Amino acid sequence: MIFKNEIANLKQDFEGYVGKKIIVKGNTTKTKGFQKEGVIDKIYSNIFVIRETDNDRNITYSYTDVLTKSIEVKIQNGEEFNEIIVDDALSIKER
């Protein structure tokens, strides 16, 4: 079960990433996946908005998607992309 404070903590972390490049990976079906690259544009209470690099389109994802590991998120830090890790205790780390 995901609690409101866990979403609030993740939102607070994401506020520091506004304007940074991001890669989001996930699965649409068992055999098909997706990867989107863009910039974190806006932060809201339950979702964050990414502006895609390729076509300047906005895509929204929920913090619940990250907490339940439905999507994998990597944030650019200098030259590298660091994965946002949500461990079993639901603490957020960069790797």
Side-chain angles (χ1 to χ4, degrees):
M1 176 179 275
I2 296 174
F3 298 98
K4 280 187 175 187
N5 66 327
E6 294 163 342
I7 293 172
N9 290 342
L10 186 57
K11 176 187 176 270
Q12 187 175 9
D13 289 342
F14 269 70
E15 286 173 346
Y17 301 136
V18 172
K20 292 198 174 199
K21 287 188 179 181
I22 184 171
I23 296 175
V24 178
K25 292 182 184 179
N27 294 319
T28 53
T29 64
K30 269 188 173 180
T31 57
K32 288 192 174 191
F34 68 88
Q35 178 173 316
K36 303 289 183 181
E37 188 170 330
V39 175
I40 298 178
D41 193 31
K42 296 178 183 162
I43 302 293
Y44 296 101
S45 59
N46 294 310
I47 62 169
F48 57 99
V49 179
I50 296 173
R51 187 174 14 90
E52 259 190 304
T53 307
D54 294 340
N55 57 17
D56 206 32
R57 187 178 85 167
N58 288 338
I59 305 172
T60 61
Y61 296 99
S62 73
Y63 303 114
T64 305
D65 292 337
V66 178
L67 292 170
T68 60
K69 301 177 184 176
S70 297
I71 59 172
E72 180 183 308
V73 176
K74 293 183 179 182
I75 306 287
Q76 188 174 24
N77 186 7
E79 295 290 319
E80 299 178 351
F81 281 88
N82 297 330
E83 186 175 354
I84 301 297
I85 304 294
V86 180
D87 66 14
D88 293 335
L90 290 176
S91 63
I92 291 83
K93 304 174 189 167
E94 279 189 41
R95 177 172 51 163

